[in-house]
Amino acid sequence: MYRLSIAIFLVALLNGCSSQSVSLQYYLLHTPNDSVSVSLPPDAQPLLIRLTNLSVSDYLMQRGLAVQTAENALHISTQHIWAEPFEAGFKKKLTHALGPDYKLIYTNTKKDDEYMLDLSLLHLVATYQGDAVLDARYTLSSPTGSTVNKAFQVKLDLDSDGYGHAVSVYRQAIVLLADDIKTQLSAMQ
Amino acid sequence: MSSTEQPRNTETAKVSAAAPVSRVWFIPLIAIVIGAWIIFTQWSNQGPLITIELLGAAGIEENKTPIKVRDLAIGQVTKITLKEDLDGVIVTARIDKEAEHLLTENSKFWVVSPRISFSEVSGLSTLLSGSYIAMNANGNGRPQTNFKALPRPPVTPPGTPGLHITLTSDRDFAYKEGDPIVYKGHKVGEFEESFFNQYERAMYYTAFVEAPYHRLITENTRFWDASGVKVRLRASGIEVDTGSVETLLSNGVTFDVPEGSTPGVPITDKAYFEIFESEEMAQSESYRLSAEYVLLIDESVRGLNIGAPVEYRGLRVGEVVSINQLPLEMGSLLEADYKIPVVINVYPGKVRQGDTPAGLARVREQIREWIKQDLRATLRIGNLLTGALYVDLNHDEEAASSEVARILDYEIIPTSSTELTQITQKAEALLDKINALPLEQLSDDMVSAVNQMGVAAESVRQSSTNFDALIADVDMKSINSELVKSLQQVSNMLETLTNTGLIDKEAQQSLDELQETMRQIQPLLQRLNQTPNSLIFGRQHEPIEPKAKTVSQEP
């Protein structure tokens, strides 16, 4: 019995050591490929938009990427994870998508001549129906005091399987959100 | 008139005999008849004359003192004469004819006069109206005209619903007429009469228990004395017993059914009951059968009383019946090796063998076997305050087997030394050990130690003096100045760091790093949570990943 226990333990240890670990896959919302050098005219200054608040759903704060598996179920991956905090990546991507005419700034110091954006990201997830959904609520405030409240939702089809493709679709959705914000800004101006 | 005169027409006188009795005599005759009729009527209407024998004629007057039934006058005292033997008076009284039928052998007479005692106050109305002779009767029995008056009013009027009982006692307490019978503090009856039986040297009391309390008197009822306040110092401690307020001022008895006994059949006729000295004795007497044994004590029995408990393994199984009261054939205290005989009882009913001859036989047999083995009796102290002793039956493992000895038909339970003796022996042994201690050497050592402590104290005092001098040499002002300066510098440094935000920045950075570290650990924790064995066996590829939209998923 004693020898058998030692043999079982050694077999389990050998199996563990011989098992190849699955490599982790890291993903970025904002990729270096997005950084494109744009030359602005010397007198052209981007319009500053102060992001006063960015609230993100709790499941998006997880390190692993989430995928909706049923109407009320999510799966958070342990192998496919964000390379940086989701909030930081989202800010970078949104900033990039708003450029070059608009610049998103994050400091809390408010100024009266700035546009302010209060954004709540409710969902950004691949669904079990083959879609990637972005659902957000944002409020734009102009220096003149006018305010726009907007609910934005976009659903894009996933053309292929995998988290990599889903992340790329997420980027497209964020670009569409940025376009919508820009549209509202233009209207407010 | 002369003879020459012409006779006239004359008529011959008719001579008739005169009436022998004058009619006038009818008047006294009628008077006599009327008088006789009146006398007859008076005689026939008056009641009988009776005689009542009294101890004295205090308050009784001829032709004045009435005789009453329920406060209604039915007669009057007509004559008072002294008895020939001078031990009383005979009162002659005329009773109304309407009350003649009441004069039977069951009629009772007594003198009503003011009476004040602990148990009653009565007859106060006669202070103004004068004494009278009261009569109580029920009309039953043979006619009678000579009566002997009761010395005092009857406690219970005839016909009162209830039960008459007879109580007897040979103890040192006595009751008089009117003393209460109490049940749970409530007066339910009274003593009526008492008489002393000189042959039995016991008092007999007639008592009456009123309805409906007479139903409480059953064949297993026990009566015990409840007079005054009883304070007992016993082996079990101090006991204080009191009855009702009446029994505090006078004597009285109470009764109940012993614990564990059934009430039994209710008493209907006059029955005899013994008055026990205490409730405890009454309870004990509920067991009729007992096995008696003798203990031969060769030590002092001071503190051992009759009635002291006999215990076996802490349970009371009997009591002490007598101490040194066996016949003189046993010897006397004047003999050198005289052992004091103490008779004890063991009740079969108290050891759950049944209060029956069979139970008694079983108890005798068992105790006989135990005596042969190791059963011993020891006098133990039951109460340190009073020094009262009790008998403890115990198994002495060191006792040698022995045959059962007998004396005067009593089986003897061997005794071991009393607890007091054992304590004395232990105390003596302790004192011997104390005496054997080298007290003188200890005293010398203690003196030496005290001297050394004095030297040590002097050294401590010197050190304290030196320390005080050292403290006095310290320049406290310069030290305070340096401390103030150093604190000022620390304050300036902290202010600088606060103004430049270095502290906040460092703290924020540390928090970010900590948060980042937690994020790094999070997948590992999740994996461990989902598949703990993946640390050993590795993990599988996740089967779940985003899927492309298929044709079937098109809306």
Side-chain angles (χ1 to χ4, degrees):
Chain A
M1 188 64 188
Y2 178 69
R3 292 181 179 178
L4 180 61
S5 302
I6 292 180
I8 292 173
F9 175 73
L10 290 176
V11 168
L13 193 65
L14 188 62
N15 182 44
C17 294
S18 61
S19 300
Q20 183 180 2
S21 64
V22 177
S23 59
L24 299 178
Q25 296 293 324
Y26 292 92
Y27 297 91
L28 279 172
L29 268 179
H30 172 259
T31 67
N33 299 332
D34 289 340
S35 300
V36 179
S37 298
V38 178
S39 298
L40 295 176
D43 57 343
Q45 293 295 327
L47 185 63
L48 298 179
I49 303 171
R50 185 172 301 280
L51 182 64
T52 57
N53 180 45
L54 173 61
S55 58
V56 179
S57 295
D58 199 47
Y59 74 88
L60 292 173
M61 302 285 285
Q62 305 292 323
R63 196 67 172 174
L65 270 69
V67 57
Q68 186 183 15
T69 57
E71 185 68 25
N72 298 315
L74 278 179
H75 170 74
I76 297 177
S77 173
T78 58
Q79 296 177 9
H80 303 272
I81 59 178
W82 295 110
E84 59 182 352
F86 174 84
E87 196 172 339
F90 180 80
K91 284 180 180 177
K92 289 177 184 176
K93 183 60 188 173
L94 183 62
T95 303
H96 179 265
L98 287 172
D101 300 330
Y102 301 95
K103 182 180 179 181
L104 204 60
I105 54 178
Y106 314 123
T107 58
N108 291 328
T109 308
K110 293 183 179 179
K111 292 182 178 178
D112 294 337
D113 58 346
E114 291 174 347
Y115 285 87
M116 287 180 286
L117 173 64
D118 186 333
L119 177 62
S120 297
L121 183 59
L122 304 181
H123 296 291
L124 180 57
V125 66
T127 69
Y128 61 97
Q129 295 174 329
D131 301 322
V133 173
L134 186 149
D135 189 1
R137 304 286 186 272
Y138 66 86
T139 301
L140 276 172
S141 302
S142 70
T144 60
S146 60
T147 302
V148 172
N149 293 312
K150 184 71 184 291
F152 176 81
Q153 185 175 28
V154 63
K155 183 181 292 186
L156 301 176
D157 294 343
L158 295 175
D159 296 331
S160 60
D161 299 343
Y163 285 95
H165 178 67
V167 171
S168 64
V169 177
Y170 292 165
R171 293 194 196 105
Q172 297 174 26
I174 295 172
V175 169
L176 293 177
L177 171 64
D179 292 342
D180 189 72
I181 293 173
K182 286 193 286 188
T183 303
Q184 296 299 327
L185 285 171
S186 300
M188 294 178 73
Q189 292 173 357
Chain B
M1 191 175 307
S2 67
S3 58
T4 63
E5 290 178 356
Q6 288 293 326
R8 300 180 189 175
N9 293 331
T10 60
E11 295 181 0
T12 303
K14 294 178 179 178
V15 178
S16 60
V21 178
S22 174
R23 292 179 180 175
V24 72
W25 288 106
F26 281 103
I27 295 173
L29 184 62
I30 292 171
I32 288 171
V33 171
I34 292 173
W37 179 77
I38 290 173
I39 290 171
F40 174 77
T41 304
Q42 180 69 21
W43 176 81
S44 61
N45 286 339
Q46 73 177 358
L49 276 176
I50 63 171
T51 59
I52 305 170
E53 188 177 330
L54 297 175
L55 292 176
I60 308 297
E61 298 179 33
E62 291 182 0
N63 299 322
K64 182 176 182 182
T65 299
I67 294 175
K68 296 182 177 179
V69 174
R70 296 187 183 276
D71 288 336
L72 173 66
I74 61 167
Q76 193 176 52
V77 173
T78 57
K79 188 171 71 174
I80 302 174
T81 57
L82 197 60
K83 285 180 67 177
E84 293 180 356
D85 53 4
L86 303 179
D87 62 348
V89 297
I90 294 177
V91 174
T92 304
R94 175 75 67 186
I95 304 298
D96 295 345
K97 187 174 181 60
E98 292 78 8
E100 183 178 4
H101 67 284
L102 297 178
L103 300 173
T104 64
E105 57 186 355
N106 293 325
S107 300
K108 304 292 182 183
F109 293 87
W110 67 93
V111 177
V112 177
S113 59
R115 184 182 296 273
I116 299 175
S117 66
F118 280 125
S119 56
E120 68 168 351
V121 175
S122 62
L124 291 183
S125 61
T126 58
L127 285 173
L128 300 176
S129 62
S131 299
Y132 63 89
I133 296 175
M135 171 184 167
N136 198 311
N138 55 11
N140 297 327
R142 293 175 298 177
Q144 185 173 327
T145 56
N146 298 320
F147 301 93
K148 185 173 183 179
L150 300 175
R152 52 157 289 161
V155 176
T156 308
T160 305
L163 176 68
H164 281 91
I165 56 176
T166 300
L167 302 175
T168 178
S169 169
D170 55 356
R171 310 295 171 127
D172 294 334
F173 37 77
Y175 308 95
K176 60 182 182 298
E177 292 80 356
D179 283 344
I181 297 175
V182 179
Y183 181 73
K184 297 188 184 301
H186 182 63
K187 181 181 175 182
V188 298
E190 287 182 339
F191 282 84
E192 290 184 330
E193 297 176 356
S194 63
F195 59 93
F196 181 72
N197 188 323
Q198 58 182 348
Y199 300 105
E200 299 179 6
R201 300 193 176 189
M203 287 293 297
Y204 282 82
Y205 304 94
T206 302
F208 183 77
V209 179
E210 302 169 2
Y213 305 105
H214 69 289
R215 296 196 187 96
L216 298 172
I217 311 298
T218 58
E219 60 180 357
N220 290 331
T221 300
R222 298 286 183 273
F223 287 81
W224 64 89
D225 182 54
S227 304
V229 179
K230 292 182 179 176
V231 180
R232 298 188 189 87
L233 295 175
R234 293 190 165 182
S236 56
I238 299 176
E239 297 177 359
V240 178
D241 291 338
T242 62
S244 64
V245 177
E246 290 172 312
T247 60
L248 283 176
L249 301 175
S250 62
N251 294 332
V253 297
T254 185
F255 63 90
D256 207 342
V257 176
E259 293 181 4
S261 298
T262 56
V265 181
I267 299 297
T268 54
D269 297 331
K270 200 166 187 175
Y272 288 86
F273 294 94
E274 183 180 355
I275 302 175
F276 294 97
E277 186 175 359
S278 64
E279 180 181 7
E280 192 175 25
M281 295 185 68
Q283 297 277 357
S284 298
E285 289 297 329
S286 61
Y287 301 105
R288 296 178 291 110
L289 301 178
S290 64
E292 294 189 336
Y293 297 92
V294 167
L295 316 178
L296 297 177
I297 308 296
D298 55 359
E299 297 160 348
S300 171
V301 294
R302 179 182 175 83
L304 184 66
N305 301 315
I306 294 176
V310 174
E311 296 186 358
Y312 175 70
R313 297 172 63 185
L315 294 177
R316 181 167 182 160
V317 298
E319 61 186 13
V320 174
V321 177
S322 69
I323 300 172
N324 196 29
Q325 292 196 354
L326 289 184
L328 291 176
E329 296 82 41
M330 282 285 301
S332 71
L333 276 174
L334 300 179
E335 298 174 6
D337 57 348
Y338 177 70
K339 294 182 178 181
I340 302 173
V342 174
V343 180
I344 64 171
N345 265 351
V346 176
Y347 297 106
K350 289 221 171 190
V351 293
R352 297 191 174 183
Q353 290 297 325
D355 193 20
T356 60
L360 179 62
R362 281 195 295 271
V363 168
R364 288 186 186 280
E365 182 64 26
Q366 185 61 54
I367 291 183
R368 188 176 299 117
E369 287 300 319
W370 282 350
I371 292 174
K372 289 179 181 177
Q373 296 172 4
D374 56 358
L375 185 69
R376 297 293 181 268
T378 305
L379 300 185
R380 296 190 185 280
I381 299 175
N383 191 312
L384 289 176
L385 182 63
T386 63
L389 301 177
Y390 69 96
V391 177
D392 181 32
L393 301 180
N394 54 80
H395 296 280
D396 188 356
E397 296 178 353
E398 298 178 357
S401 301
S402 62
E403 288 300 318
V404 180
R406 303 181 69 88
I407 182 171
L408 296 177
D409 293 336
Y410 292 108
E411 291 182 348
I412 299 176
I413 298 179
T415 58
S416 55
S417 59
T418 64
E419 195 173 46
L420 185 61
T421 306
Q422 293 171 1
I423 293 174
T424 306
Q425 291 172 352
K426 290 178 181 177
E428 288 177 353
L430 183 62
L431 288 174
D432 291 341
K433 288 182 179 178
I434 291 175
N435 289 331
L437 289 175
L439 293 178
E440 293 183 358
Q441 183 181 350
L442 283 176
S443 175
D444 294 341
D445 292 345
M446 287 182 66
V447 170
S448 175
V450 169
N451 291 334
Q452 290 179 0
M453 287 176 65
V455 174
E458 179 62 24
S459 175
V460 170
R461 192 182 64 79
Q462 186 63 37
S463 299
S464 175
T465 305
N466 295 338
F467 184 74
D468 290 342
L470 180 64
I471 291 296
D473 291 340
V474 174
D475 186 358
M476 295 301 292
K477 287 186 178 178
S478 62
I479 291 176
N480 286 337
S481 174
E482 290 295 329
L483 280 175
V484 169
K485 192 181 297 181
S486 300
L487 289 173
Q488 186 66 39
Q489 289 176 352
V490 170
S491 176
N492 291 338
M493 184 178 68
L494 288 174
E495 186 176 0
T496 304
L497 290 173
T498 304
N499 291 337
T500 54
L502 291 176
I503 293 178
D504 292 343
K505 192 174 181 181
E506 291 289 335
Q508 185 63 41
Q509 190 173 354
S510 299
L511 283 176
D512 291 343
E513 289 177 355
L514 179 61
Q515 195 170 7
E516 182 59 24
T517 303
M518 293 303 296
R519 282 193 178 116
Q520 295 288 348
I521 295 174
Q522 194 178 32
L524 176 62
L525 295 177
Q526 286 182 350
R527 185 157 65 93
L528 282 177
N529 191 29
Q530 293 171 0
T531 54
N533 57 355
S534 64
L535 278 181
I536 296 177
F537 300 106
R539 59 180 178 179
Q540 305 299 323
H541 289 280
E542 284 186 324
I544 300 174
E545 62 177 9
K547 299 294 184 183
K549 182 182 281 291
T550 59
V551 177
S552 61
Q553 291 174 330
E554 292 288 344

